[in-house]
Amino acid sequence: MAGFGSNVELLKVHPAIGVARLSRNEDFYVFGEEPDAYKSVQDVDGESVNIIKRQAVRFFISSYTSAGAYIRDYSASEIDAMGIDAVWMSKLCNRKISEQLGRDPVYEVHGESRSDNHDGRIVGRMDASAQFDFPATGIEFGQLKSDGLFLPSQVSVIPRVAGSTMPAFGGLHTAEYLDGTADGAVTVELTDRASGDRIGIPVLPAWVVVAPPDFAPDQLDSEVYAHSGRENLDDWLVRQLNMPAAANVTARQFDRRVLENCTSDFAPGIEASFGRLLSAMGGNLRPLFYSSAATRGMGDIRLDPARANPGDMTYGLCSPWQYDFRACGCHFWAAQRPDTATRDDDSGIAWEGDERTINWLRQFVAETGPDVEARRLLTNPQFVNYVERLGILREIGGEIIETERDADMPEGGATGS
């Protein structure tokens, strides 16, 4: 029988919490792998536009001894070469609409997948009794492929009543529009190819969060707000769960790097919103996570699917997520959703004026200055339709430079829908 070796007593899926990010773009990049560009030209509603790519996340397996000592990581090709068939599985849920309707379970959107069935596509559905013009084909949360790659969907928003007009302003949460965010468990089933027997080594599953885009991939909240001591999600969870520092192994470090790129202090937040969940848990999130004994004391921040429910990390977020990007007007809300940046003098843009500070939300690409309130994205429909076209902030030569912004927003962008 194929195997991992006699010293392997435990397998874990990493990253323990993976984050994938939405876009209507067919193209994608993989977290931890620097792309040539974060945007590409796509046909959106019959128009050729340059929009941010989706962020995929690659799950992989690591092995450990009975005492929890790390042994090694395995790529999909290495698992295959060992004569082992791996089937990746997921169970996801979007509970945002349900939360707005008194936590009515018929409005929960559940989806699950196996990588050996329909190429791992995860299709979510509401209960048939839900009063929602839900697509007959369901809503795609993404795809968990046979190599462990989780690719989020291209879903933007789906109206509760088909053909309804989205209000220009108002609210952070609505039951009238469903977005493509979700979260839930990811695990893998391992089978010896020759004998057909299951590999008997225990596997600790992971969790995936399908979240909004990150327009400033080089920046962390803890860096943007260094003066205030603001925490990223890794710091916040380590403190909430009283976790030890990550062990010095690749998988552990990768786990923490994923969470460092997420925000924690904001309510509702971007990738996760623990405020309501924390209240429901009496101020203690620890029961939802694996114990140190189960993870062999290795400092894992790992949700336990036997205790945590799909949708727990995201049900308190804005519905749809674009409303949150619209609503916050404070200076540099979160690293993922900027306010201002420094213009790119090497972009070829014929900038208007000498000021180097630019407003990230501006309608006209060449306009400079931080204050363009009458000429920027303002309304809910504008953020839904155009936010993916905005620039990508990169750290270049010690400055935060806006890159990959090459066109004006449509005329009337400040007031149109």
Side-chain angles (χ1 to χ4, degrees), residues 200-214:
I201 304 170
V203 177
L204 290 187
W207 208 263
V208 68
V209 175
V210 183
D214 182 355

Side-chain angles (χ1 to χ4, degrees), residues 103-123:
R103 299 190 177 180
D104 188 339
V106 304
Y107 291 94
E108 295 179 354
V109 186
H110 290 272
E112 55 185 83
S113 71
R114 290 175 58 95
S115 60
D116 61 351
N117 187 22
H118 299 294
D119 203 19
R121 295 193 177 276
I122 310 155
V123 179

Side-chain angles (χ1 to χ4, degrees), residues 271-285:
E271 299 85 8
S273 184
F274 285 108
R276 298 183 187 188
L277 185 60
L278 194 61
S279 178
M281 295 294 295
N284 181 20
L285 293 176

Side-chain angles (χ1 to χ4, degrees), residues 87-377:
V87 176
W88 289 89
M89 300 175 289
S90 71
K91 288 186 178 181
L92 274 68
C93 185
N94 179 326
R95 295 184 2 227
K96 290 182 177 180
I97 303 296
S98 170
E99 181 70 12
Q100 299 309 306
L101 296 175
R103 299 190 177 180
D104 188 339
V106 304
Y107 291 94
E108 295 179 354
V109 186
H110 290 272
E112 55 185 83
S113 71
R114 290 175 58 95
S115 60
D116 61 351
N117 187 22
H118 299 294
D119 203 19
R121 295 193 177 276
I122 310 155
V123 179
R125 290 183 170 84
M126 283 184 182
D127 188 271
S129 65
Q131 296 180 17
F132 201 103
D133 289 340
F134 205 76
T137 55
I139 175 176
E140 284 211 16
F141 287 141
Q143 183 180 13
L144 183 56
K145 306 183 78 170
S146 59
D147 60 355
L149 182 72
F150 184 97
L151 184 62
S153 75
Q154 295 170 258
V155 168
S156 179
V157 296
I158 297 172
R160 185 176 182 182
V161 179
S164 61
T165 299
M166 180 176 287
F169 299 101
L172 293 175
H173 307 277
T174 177
E176 301 305 312
Y177 293 93
L178 176 72
D179 65 23
T181 61
D183 68 276
V186 169
T187 191
V188 64
E189 181 181 274
L190 302 171
T191 304
D192 176 70
R193 190 176 303 134
S195 67
D197 295 334
R198 288 281 301 276
I199 302 296
I201 304 170
V203 177
L204 290 187
W207 208 263
V208 68
V209 175
V210 183
D214 182 355
F215 290 92
D218 295 339
Q219 291 190 282
L220 309 179
D221 274 357
S222 53
E223 297 169 343
V224 173
Y225 298 101
H227 62 283
S228 65
R230 176 163 283 154
E231 298 172 306
N232 56 48
L233 187 56
D234 178 56
D235 296 332
W236 188 84
L237 284 171
V238 166
R239 181 169 54 82
Q240 287 288 324
L241 304 176
N242 194 26
M243 301 296 294
N248 188 25
V249 295
T250 303
R252 292 261 63 64
Q253 293 170 333
F254 190 68
D255 284 359
R256 296 293 175 88
R257 187 148 59 98
V258 171
L259 297 178
E260 286 170 354
N261 281 74
C262 301
T263 191
S264 68
D265 286 30
F266 296 101
I270 295 182
E271 299 85 8
S273 184
F274 285 108
R276 298 183 187 188
L277 185 60
L278 194 61
S279 178
M281 295 294 295
N284 181 20
L285 293 176
R286 196 67 184 89
L288 299 180
F289 290 77
Y290 277 108
S291 67
S292 293
T295 62
R296 305 301 196 269
M298 294 298 288
D300 280 29
I301 300 175
R302 186 179 296 271
L303 284 154
D304 183 352
R307 299 182 178 189
N309 295 310
D312 270 354
M313 289 188 69
T314 54
Y315 76 80
L317 295 173
C318 286
S319 177
W321 64 263
Q322 293 93 336
Y323 277 30
D324 208 6
F325 272 47
R326 185 273 308 163
C328 193
C330 52
H331 180 73
F332 229 108
W333 170 47
Q336 299 88 328
R337 187 274 196 206
D339 284 311
T340 60
T342 301
R343 74 187 198 186
D344 183 359
D345 289 326
D346 296 324
S347 64
I349 295 172
W351 297 103
E352 300 173 359
D354 296 328
E355 189 162 0
R356 298 195 69 226
T357 300
I358 51 177
N359 189 301
W360 182 65
L361 298 173
R362 69 197 183 282
Q363 179 184 356
F364 302 108
V365 67
E367 187 168 16
T368 60
D371 184 12
V372 291
E373 285 303 302
R375 300 174 304 281
R376 69 171 182 86
L377 298 189

